[in-house]
Amino acid sequence: MVDNIKECALLNNGVKMPWLGLGVYKVQNGEEVIHSIKSAVNAGYRSIDTAAFYENEEGVGQAIKECGVPREELFITTKVWNDQHGYEPALKAFEESRKKLKTDYVDLFLIHWPVTGMYKDTWRALEKLYKDGYIRAIGVSNFHIHHLKDLMGDCEITPAVNQVEFHPYLTQRNLHSFCREQGIQLEAWGPLARGAVVKDKIIQEIASKYKKTPAQIVLRWDVQKQVVTIPKSVQEYRIIENMEIFYFELTEDEMKKIDSLNRDERTGPNPDTFV
Ligand code: NAD
């Protein structure tokens, strides 16, 4: 049972990644992102999820420097965006991200979306950066099973992580099983369906039993399903609320009840039609 915020998933290359992190999508570069990260780190978070696309890597970098925790205790994820695919462009994109983040290395570097016809060349760049020691683990995001099979049929290093939209209304059952079989850690983006699942009656019922909030129930469900989760908030009280998901355990029955809320509903685009 995952019992505190310091606990980590063990990735397929032996690197440890915290089960819970802070997402910073749509968080403004500068004061807003710096303040959110400092609040999170102060509360106990060690993992931060950003991307070149979020245009806040500079602020994330400043927060890393100023948060008072040694760099090696933090776990920083960033991603290569869709217009920077290809071998050379991805190498360049990584260097740009690394400089903005003001760090010697990145813990996890992901292909943000599976751009058709491009992601294999991009992956070769990630493999090189990994072998050269600039990245501790490499992975993908928004990959369906067919994208993973296609990539793995041709690559040297199996992705360590697949970060996908995942919440009670989109449980990604087949993808989750496939990733488990292949040793790829599933990671949930939009774990709260951007706020929608907190209004769910079933989740509210379970929450009242444990005197927890609906968000805490959903995030607890993530970790009990062995899915890494990265809820986003810029409000300190919610950042703290979202980490208080330890010291209680949902029953098997409650886990199944939440699973059964699935309706294959996305808040974001389907990777097959987006890129
Ligand atoms: P989320 O599901 O984390 O929802 C965030 C929203 O939920 C907040 O803006 C807030 O309005 C609300 N919220 C947060 N805590 C709450 C609480 N305790 N109670 C009630 N409401 C609460 O959605 P997200 O930000 O889209 O996803 C999380 C992170 O995943 C992002 O910040 C980003 O880092 C990552 N992400 C990745 C991709 C990708 O393509 N790889 C796409 C989207 C997001």
Side-chain angles (χ1 to χ4, degrees), residues 6-19 46-47 71-77 105-110 130-131 133-139 157-161 183-187 228:
K6 301 244 152 48
E7 286 196 38
C8 290
L10 191 62
L11 304 182
N12 60 13
N13 63 349
V15 165
K16 290 178 175 173
M17 174 178 194
W19 287 107
R46 291 295 177 266
S47 171
R71 169 68 185 91
E72 59 277 12
E73 284 182 28
L74 300 171
F75 190 98
I76 308 298
T77 301
Y105 65 94
V106 165
D107 294 277
L108 179 63
F109 194 49
L110 304 177
Y130 174 73
K131 287 184 202 158
Y134 288 107
I135 309 173
R136 295 178 64 228
I138 53 177
I157 301 171
T158 299
V161 170
I184 301 169
Q185 176 62 52
L186 201 71
E187 179 178 16
V228 167

Side-chain angles (χ1 to χ4, degrees), residues 106-204:
V106 165
D107 294 277
L108 179 63
F109 194 49
L110 304 177
I111 295 183
H112 207 145
W113 290 88
V115 176
T116 313
M118 299 296 285
Y119 56 75
K120 288 188 188 175
D121 284 343
T122 309
W123 188 253
R124 281 196 300 115
L126 267 61
E127 287 179 330
K128 174 168 172 49
L129 291 161
Y130 174 73
K131 287 184 202 158
D132 289 350
Y134 288 107
I135 309 173
R136 295 178 64 228
I138 53 177
V140 294
S141 175
N142 299 305
F143 273 46
H144 284 318
I145 294 175
H146 72 87
H147 296 117
L148 288 169
K149 283 187 175 165
D150 181 44
L151 178 66
M152 286 158 68
D154 238 353
C155 70
E156 214 180 307
I157 301 171
T158 299
V161 170
N162 187 16
Q163 182 187 108
V164 297
E165 184 176 351
F166 179 96
H167 46 70
Y169 298 153
L170 182 69
T171 57
Q172 306 261 26
R173 211 168 137 206
N174 294 339
L175 179 65
H176 192 183
S177 305
F178 180 81
C179 286
R180 226 185 252 246
E181 283 158 22
Q182 301 296 326
I184 301 169
Q185 176 62 52
L186 201 71
E187 179 178 16
W189 70 251
L192 304 172
R194 298 182 172 163
V197 292
V198 304
K199 297 183 203 102
D200 190 280
K201 287 274 171 301
I202 302 276
I203 293 168
Q204 286 177 348

Side-chain angles (χ1 to χ4, degrees), residues 37-272:
I37 293 174
K38 284 185 180 170
S39 302
V41 171
N42 197 31
Y45 286 71
R46 291 295 177 266
S47 171
I48 309 295
D49 182 86
T50 185
F53 179 67
Y54 304 168
E55 294 184 342
N56 58 19
E57 288 171 310
E58 279 149 344
V60 173
Q62 198 169 329
I64 294 172
K65 289 262 177 255
E66 294 174 2
C67 71
V69 165
R71 169 68 185 91
E72 59 277 12
E73 284 182 28
L74 300 171
F75 190 98
I76 308 298
T77 301
T78 193
K79 317 180 189 89
V80 53
W81 185 240
N82 302 342
D83 59 1
Q84 294 175 304
H85 271 260
Y87 185 77
E88 290 298 336
L91 291 178
K92 190 164 163 264
F94 174 78
E95 194 46 27
E96 281 164 13
S97 284
R98 196 182 67 79
K99 279 204 181 119
K100 286 182 184 159
L101 289 166
K102 298 175 254 304
T103 180
D104 294 336
Y105 65 94
V106 165
D107 294 277
L108 179 63
F109 194 49
L110 304 177
I111 295 183
H112 207 145
W113 290 88
V115 176
T116 313
M118 299 296 285
Y119 56 75
K120 288 188 188 175
D121 284 343
T122 309
W123 188 253
R124 281 196 300 115
L126 267 61
E127 287 179 330
K128 174 168 172 49
L129 291 161
Y130 174 73
K131 287 184 202 158
D132 289 350
Y134 288 107
I135 309 173
R136 295 178 64 228
I138 53 177
V140 294
S141 175
N142 299 305
F143 273 46
H144 284 318
I145 294 175
H146 72 87
H147 296 117
L148 288 169
K149 283 187 175 165
D150 181 44
L151 178 66
M152 286 158 68
D154 238 353
C155 70
E156 214 180 307
I157 301 171
T158 299
V161 170
N162 187 16
Q163 182 187 108
V164 297
E165 184 176 351
F166 179 96
H167 46 70
Y169 298 153
L170 182 69
T171 57
Q172 306 261 26
R173 211 168 137 206
N174 294 339
L175 179 65
H176 192 183
S177 305
F178 180 81
C179 286
R180 226 185 252 246
E181 283 158 22
Q182 301 296 326
I184 301 169
Q185 176 62 52
L186 201 71
E187 179 178 16
W189 70 251
L192 304 172
R194 298 182 172 163
V197 292
V198 304
K199 297 183 203 102
D200 190 280
K201 287 274 171 301
I202 302 276
I203 293 168
Q204 286 177 348
E205 259 173 51
I206 300 174
S208 62
K209 171 183 160 188
Y210 290 98
K211 298 194 171 44
K212 288 281 171 185
T213 66
Q216 289 168 330
I217 296 299
V218 173
L219 299 170
R220 177 71 207 176
W221 171 79
D222 285 342
V223 296
Q224 281 187 220
K225 289 185 81 66
Q226 303 196 331
V227 174
V228 167
T229 190
I230 45 168
K232 172 230 163 175
S233 181
V234 294
Q235 308 289 342
E236 189 163 7
Y237 77 96
R238 279 189 165 160
I239 290 174
I240 292 170
E241 174 187 331
N242 292 346
M243 64 171 267
E244 290 177 339
I245 60 167
F246 305 105
Y247 310 114
F248 78 105
E249 189 163 14
L250 299 170
T251 65
E252 222 169 281
D253 216 41
E254 289 158 349
M255 292 295 289
K256 282 194 188 134
K257 255 191 189 167
I258 301 175
D259 288 346
S260 72
L261 297 175
N262 178 49
R263 45 196 200 213
D264 293 334
E265 189 175 281
R266 293 176 187 276
T267 64
N270 185 326
D272 274 337

